[in-house]
Amino acid sequence: MTVSTAPSRTEIVREADGYDHATIYNGEQRLHVVVRGEGPLVLLVHGFPEAWFCWRNQIDAIAAAGYTVAAPDMRGYGRSSKPDAVEDYIVTKLVDDCAVMVEALGHDEATIMGHDWGAMVAWTAAWTRPELFTAVVGMSVPFGGRGLIPIGGVDSFGTRRPSVVQREIAGPDKLFYQEYWSKPGALESEFETDPRGFLRGQYFSFSGGPYPDDFQAPDPLATTPSQIAEQIRNGGVCMDLDAKFSDGHVIPEADPDWLAADLDDYVREFTRTGLRAPLNWYRAMDKSWEELAPFEDKPVEVPALFIGADLDVATQWGAEAVAAFDRTVPQHRPSVVLEKCGHWFSRERPAETTAAMLDFLAGLEQR
């Protein structure tokens, strides 16, 4: 094990897994970042409930293509700090963490790529700090403006406070999942009762696994706003008032290979850390919406790519937002929609996901 020290209170340790593990400090917040390679910086931002190692299938390939790859445990996750206050998870603070990582690793700029909540952070970083985050790839979730996650037929561009949008989606007799997840202790108690069962159900239910092999998915980007709204209201993400979220989980008879490969790691990680801090990202959405008011109506002005999947509900919900990219993300590349996979496509379809990421990076080099 070797140890080196970089500027800005950054310690870098080569660990037994062969990766450099950096500890970077943003004020009082400690950020754990896995680093590999040399060259222009590519920052990979995970979502919920994942960790730096959701990018295992991408890190080495991107580094081998001539880039420095940095994959953090984001604030609230893994080996990074977990502050108590909801205000500490406002999206602009998550972006600031990313900015500190870029500087601490000795770079002037970075391409930022994110999946799920990581996509919302990545879009916001490129939107609000284009001088630093000079290109962006959003995966699963397209650009949603102040609202962070776009929901066609209800609010795709962040024109209203997220909690108001969530209430409208569900109506008086149900709860939208984000509203339930924001209730202190609700989802945490489901997880703590059975961590492995909860995570197994969460990952499988939102993958392509529940669909039969011969299922022909329609083009998710062709979904109309009214169809999206109806799908959400009638789907499992709108819950009965007395239900638990995990009541809607689909449990596999046997774990698919992609899930079996890393389920033990996720169970170990979240059994140690719990879900309270990651769920604060959802609980801070209204505060994030308020903080982003100065950027309303401003487009994302850097080169951008959206990667989705045909069986991913977030891709389906974002069809209206993607259709508006000529206005909201004018330097966007043609969107990539991966087939026969769901929300976790960096794990379900790692080769195709990596190829799309590398193609985008190669295009930047050719500018």
Side-chain angles (χ1 to χ4, degrees):
M1 182 179 292
T2 60
V3 179
S4 63
T5 302
S8 303
R9 297 188 66 203
T10 301
E11 300 171 354
I12 301 178
V13 178
R14 177 68 53 85
E15 296 192 2
D17 60 8
Y19 291 110
D20 290 336
H21 290 251
T23 303
I24 297 170
Y25 291 88
N26 182 11
E28 296 179 351
Q29 304 306 318
R30 182 188 68 257
L31 303 167
H32 168 241
V33 187
V34 170
V35 185
R36 169 64 61 87
E38 296 182 357
L41 181 61
V42 178
L43 183 62
L44 304 179
V45 185
H46 67 79
F48 176 89
E50 294 192 282
W52 76 265
F53 50 80
C54 74
W55 302 109
R56 278 182 179 139
N57 295 304
Q58 286 75 45
I59 291 172
D60 288 353
I62 296 173
Y67 298 90
T68 300
V69 182
D73 283 328
M74 292 296 288
R75 178 186 299 215
Y77 287 84
R79 289 157 59 176
S80 292
S81 290
K82 300 164 188 65
D84 291 331
V86 169
E87 291 81 1
D88 285 325
Y89 298 88
I90 293 171
V91 71
T92 49
K93 293 187 178 181
L94 305 176
V95 169
D96 190 57
D97 285 346
C98 294
V100 168
M101 294 176 207
V102 175
E103 178 184 1
L105 293 172
H107 292 261
D108 298 323
E109 60 183 42
T111 295
I112 187 166
M113 302 182 173
H115 171 259
D116 182 81
W117 248 110
M120 296 183 244
V121 174
W123 288 117
T124 304
W127 187 33
T128 62
R129 303 284 298 274
E131 76 290 346
L132 184 62
F133 300 102
T134 55
V136 58
V137 177
M139 304 183 192
S140 179
V141 180
F143 178 59
R146 291 175 66 190
L148 299 177
I149 183 168
I151 301 176
V154 184
D155 191 345
S156 284
F157 308 107
T159 58
R160 290 178 295 154
R161 185 179 295 272
S163 60
V164 172
V165 174
Q166 293 163 15
R167 278 283 72 240
E168 179 178 326
I169 291 171
D173 301 324
K174 290 193 174 185
L175 288 175
F176 188 50
Y177 82 98
Q178 291 178 8
E179 187 176 12
Y180 179 79
W181 288 11
S182 295
K183 294 170 62 176
L187 201 70
E188 294 101 308
S189 65
E190 295 188 41
F191 167 80
E192 293 295 345
T193 300
D194 181 8
R196 174 174 289 274
F198 178 88
L199 290 172
R200 187 169 178 246
Q202 180 75 8
Y203 295 139
F204 186 76
S205 298
F206 290 92
S207 73
Y211 296 86
D213 290 340
D214 60 354
F215 179 76
Q216 297 297 314
D219 179 359
L221 298 187
T223 312
T224 67
S226 61
Q227 289 173 326
I228 297 167
E230 181 179 2
Q231 175 195 74
I232 293 173
R233 291 187 177 109
N234 296 327
V237 295
C238 278
M239 306 163 48
D240 292 335
L241 297 178
D242 59 351
K244 295 181 179 178
F245 183 78
S246 53
D247 291 343
H249 279 171
V250 180
I251 306 301
E253 293 183 6
D255 293 341
D257 290 345
W258 66 267
L259 180 55
D262 56 18
L263 181 59
D264 286 349
D265 292 331
Y266 282 109
V267 172
R268 187 180 305 111
E269 190 81 337
F270 285 105
T271 299
R272 180 176 62 84
T273 66
L275 291 185
R276 179 196 57 79
L279 287 168
N280 280 341
W281 290 40
Y282 291 91
R283 294 163 184 154
M285 287 181 74
D286 276 359
K287 297 179 185 296
S288 295
W289 183 82
E290 293 167 2
E291 287 292 314
L292 292 171
F295 298 93
E296 190 170 22
D297 297 327
K298 180 181 182 295
V300 175
E301 296 176 334
V302 303
L305 172 67
F306 172 67
I307 306 174
D310 59 354
L311 301 176
D312 181 4
V313 293
T315 299
Q316 297 159 8
W317 298 351
E320 183 180 33
V322 173
F325 272 0
D326 285 348
R327 173 173 59 86
T328 61
V329 190
Q331 291 197 59
H332 71 93
R333 307 300 191 255
S335 297
V336 175
V337 178
L338 305 175
E339 296 182 353
K340 294 190 178 299
C341 59
H343 185 64
W344 319 104
F345 49 80
S346 71
R347 295 153 63 192
E348 295 177 70
R349 292 286 186 274
E352 295 95 324
T353 302
T354 304
M357 297 162 78
L358 289 173
D359 285 348
F360 178 75
L361 291 169
L364 296 177
E365 295 293 331
Q366 295 169 6
R367 286 190 296 162

